[in-house]
């Protein structure tokens, strides 16, 4: 805390990233597969380079994520471009680079055909089928149920197959895709979806398509609560679909984001002070919803601890842990039992590797924080500079 550029800051464990990757790699032994890391979970370039060296492909949701993946050295033929509103110019880039593209709707298919013509290259596509399986998660991160904005209506499957047949120069249908949601903690849900998906694959093959890929998306949850609950592992997830994958002789694509990166990081803050209003006690820290919005956005729980052992006589109370941002939604944790911290005490928010820095904003001109990781030998290295006030002023230069 004393040697970093400033607080708050994100602190990752590089060896933990490696271990998380290896858990998937080992679970997938005996299957032909692509582990596509979902870049939207965390787009730090150093982390991307590390995951690429370990053997990941990449899952992308924008042209800039594709550009970043290329910068990080990812093999574009192991990348998958997703999204319900992909832009034509981004699809052209995807077509030029030869990445897999998931077809999300009728208009999306039109745009992919147009992009293939502009790029002069046939695009390998997967159909993103909405399996209508309830992932039993917060509605903001549920994507595979009937009323979601993602994927094609499965009763429209024939229309998409006919369209693919009608565009043999632009499209090659190579697989089927689904993504159910995020923070899923029951692997039965993946199995239910995989059963439906292999049936779709049978139907699609019956019409003469040679499709080789089943993409079951990402979404595996992690132990945010730290209560010792036993959660499904990557091996549990893969084992529940293994026989289905082998029975249809397909390559399995998985798209983990959170389960590769969330538990490798914490946000390190400093306590600015403690106050009481009405019936509530507050620990006010320097970090906020600007750096880490998940609690404010989803009511998500992230485990919070003080960094140093508290004196034995410290009074334990129930606190809301809040930032300095001018919103009552600005909290990192509610109703936490903590020893009353002194000013300047370190306070960490755990499991902050996924959808934290990548969702950070500069609200209240809290510039995005620096990032560090602990290397294999225990040394600490900076992996991203903090953004500065000067960076902000640059947007107005020359106007
Ligand atoms: C967000 C997303 C993922 C990654 O989800 P996690 O819950 O982070 O594993 C994978 N695939 C698609 C299509 C996504 O939108």
């Amino acid at each position: 805390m004393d040697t970093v550029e400033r607080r708050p800051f994100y602190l990752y464990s590089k060896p933990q990233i490696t271990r998380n990757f290896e858990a998937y790699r080992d679970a997938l032994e005996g299957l032909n597969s692509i582990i596509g890391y979902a870049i939207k979970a965390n787009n730090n370039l150093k982390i991307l380079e590390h995951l690429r060296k370990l053997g990941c492909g990449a899952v992308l949701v924008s042209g800039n994520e594709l550009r970043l993946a290329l910068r990080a050295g990812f093999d574009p033929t192991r990348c998958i471009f997703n999204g319900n509103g992909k832009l034509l110019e981004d699809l052209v880039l995807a077509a030029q680079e030869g990445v897999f593209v998931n077809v999300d709707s009728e208009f999306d298919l039109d745009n992919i055909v147009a992009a293939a013509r502009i790029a002069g290259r046939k695009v390998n596509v997967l159909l993103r089928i909405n399996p209508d399986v309830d992932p039993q998660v917060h509605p903001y991160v549920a994507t595979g149920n009937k009323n979601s904005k993602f994927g094609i209506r499965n009763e429209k499957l024939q229309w998409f197959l006919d369209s693919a047949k009608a565009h043999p120069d632009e499209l090659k249908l190579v697989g089927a895709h689904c993504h159910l949601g995020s923070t899923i903690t029951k692997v039965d849900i993946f199995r239910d979806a995989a059963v439906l998906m292999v049936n779709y694959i049978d139907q699609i093959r019956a019409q003469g398509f040679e499709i080789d890929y089943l993409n079951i998306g990402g979404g595996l949850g992690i132990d945010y609560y730290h209560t010792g609950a036993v959660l499904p592992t990557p091996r549990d997830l893969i084992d529940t679909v293994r026989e289905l994958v082998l029975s249809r002789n397909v390559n399995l694509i998985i798209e983990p984001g959170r389960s590769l990166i969330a538990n490798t990081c914490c946000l390190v803050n400093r306590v600015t002070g403690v106050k009481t209003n009405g019936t509530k006690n507050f620990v006010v820290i320097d970090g906020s919803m600007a750096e880490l919005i998940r609690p404010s956005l989803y009511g998500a729980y992230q485990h919070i601890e003080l960094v140093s052992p508290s004196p034995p006589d410290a009074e334990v109370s129930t606190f809301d842990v809040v930032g300095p941002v001018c919103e009552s939604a600005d909290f990192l944790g509610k109703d936490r039992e903590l020893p009353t911290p002194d000013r300047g005490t370190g306070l960490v928010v755990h499991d902050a590797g996924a959808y934290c820095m990548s969702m950070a904003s500069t609200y209240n001109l809290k510039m995005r924080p620096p990032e560090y990781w602990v290397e294999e030998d225990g040394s600490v290295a900076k992996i991203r500079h903090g953004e500065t006030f000067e960076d902000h002023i640059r947007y107005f230069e020359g106007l």
Side-chain angles (χ1 to χ4, degrees):
M1 284 181 69
D2 292 329
T3 56
V4 295
E5 176 186 312
R6 65 167 196 256
R7 290 157 301 274
F9 62 97
Y10 281 102
L11 180 63
Y12 298 82
S13 160
K14 190 178 183 192
Q16 185 62 39
I17 299 173
T18 307
R19 284 193 289 272
N20 289 351
F21 170 80
E22 287 169 350
Y24 273 105
R25 186 201 56 197
D26 295 350
L28 284 160
E29 223 171 84
L31 296 177
N32 290 322
S33 63
I34 296 177
I35 303 173
Y37 167 62
I39 285 188
K40 72 177 196 279
N42 187 308
N43 56 33
N44 182 293
L45 186 57
K46 300 288 173 194
I47 291 174
L48 296 183
E49 286 169 351
H50 182 55
L51 286 167
R52 187 261 300 162
K53 282 182 201 148
L54 290 171
C56 280
V59 170
L60 318 161
V61 291
S62 69
N64 281 342
E65 285 194 355
L66 171 51
R67 287 183 189 95
L68 190 67
L70 295 172
R71 183 72 70 94
F74 282 93
D75 173 357
T77 65
R78 291 166 61 78
C79 291
I80 305 108
F81 188 21
N82 274 301
N84 66 314
K86 300 187 279 300
L87 299 178
L88 180 61
E89 62 258 37
D90 293 344
L91 285 166
V92 172
L93 180 64
Q96 284 163 345
E97 297 294 339
V99 313
F100 291 108
V101 176
N102 283 331
V103 179
D104 188 88
S105 63
E106 291 87 339
F107 71 77
D108 196 40
L109 185 131
D110 282 349
N111 282 336
I112 298 166
V113 169
R117 288 186 185 142
I118 294 168
R121 275 191 76 165
K122 199 189 281 198
V123 181
N124 287 327
V125 296
L126 291 83
L127 282 180
R128 176 160 182 174
I129 297 173
N130 187 329
D132 190 18
V133 169
D134 178 2
Q136 301 173 28
V137 296
H138 189 282
Y140 290 5
V141 294
T143 56
N145 38 356
K146 198 175 191 157
N147 292 325
S148 147
K149 71 172 181 174
F150 299 98
I152 67 170
R153 289 168 286 170
N154 42 33
E155 63 269 23
K156 274 286 217 159
L157 179 63
Q158 192 58 48
W159 184 91
F160 286 91
L161 298 182
D162 292 341
S163 300
K165 279 183 197 158
H167 295 100
D169 297 332
E170 291 89 358
L171 305 179
K172 178 161 194 252
L173 180 58
V174 299
H177 171 232
C178 67
H179 171 68
L180 306 174
S182 200
T183 68
I184 300 169
T185 51
K186 297 183 186 133
V187 289
D188 293 0
I189 291 167
F190 289 100
R191 187 179 162 84
D192 293 349
V195 168
L196 294 168
M197 292 302 290
V198 295
N199 282 328
Y200 288 122
I201 285 181
D202 294 343
Q203 285 179 42
I204 297 169
R205 281 179 168 167
Q207 299 202 21
F209 290 98
E210 288 173 13
I211 66 171
D212 299 322
Y213 292 92
L214 169 60
N215 181 341
I216 58 166
L220 190 63
I222 65 139
D223 177 21
Y224 280 111
Y225 287 92
H226 291 220
T227 51
V230 180
L231 291 180
T233 62
R235 182 172 298 280
D236 297 329
L237 166 59
I238 301 305
D239 281 351
T240 189
V241 300
R242 175 178 289 273
E243 286 310 315
L244 284 166
V245 171
L246 288 170
S247 72
R248 300 311 195 279
N249 193 26
V250 283
N251 297 295
L252 180 66
I253 302 177
I254 53 163
E255 304 183 320
R258 189 185 311 276
S259 52
L260 276 176
I261 197 71
N263 72 349
T264 70
C265 173
C266 56
L267 179 69
V268 185
N269 309 270
R270 213 164 224 192
V271 173
T272 309
V274 172
K275 66 188 276 186
T276 301
N277 271 350
T279 56
K280 283 271 188 194
N281 302 315
F282 299 94
V283 173
V284 184
I285 58 174
D286 47 9
S288 71
M289 68 185 289
E291 293 82 11
L292 199 163
I293 201 175
R294 296 188 66 258
S296 308
L297 183 60
Y298 313 119
Y301 179 95
Q302 304 221 182
H303 199 58
I304 289 176
E305 279 184 300
L306 302 177
V307 298
S308 36
S310 46
D313 56 344
E315 193 190 337
V316 175
S317 300
T318 304
F319 293 98
D320 283 5
V321 178
V322 302
V325 163
C326 297
E327 296 279 336
S328 292
D330 178 29
F331 63 92
L332 281 302
K334 289 209 156 155
D335 298 326
R336 302 301 172 90
E337 298 262 307
L338 292 169
T340 304
D342 291 332
R343 285 185 217 168
T345 302
L347 178 149
V348 294
V349 181
H350 286 281
D351 305 309
Y355 307 104
C356 292
M357 181 60 169
S358 65
M359 284 190 170
S361 75
T362 58
Y363 187 43
N364 284 208
L365 281 191
K366 284 176 73 34
M367 308 314 289
R368 287 186 189 80
E371 296 182 293
Y372 298 81
W373 67 15
V374 181
E375 313 248 14
E376 287 79 3
D377 65 2
S379 62
V380 175
K382 191 195 263 192
I383 56 170
R384 177 172 164 146
H385 299 296
E387 288 176 18
T388 63
F389 177 70
E390 288 68 36
D391 292 330
H392 181 70
I393 291 299
R394 210 162 291 141
Y395 295 118
F396 304 94
E397 273 171 15
L399 300 180

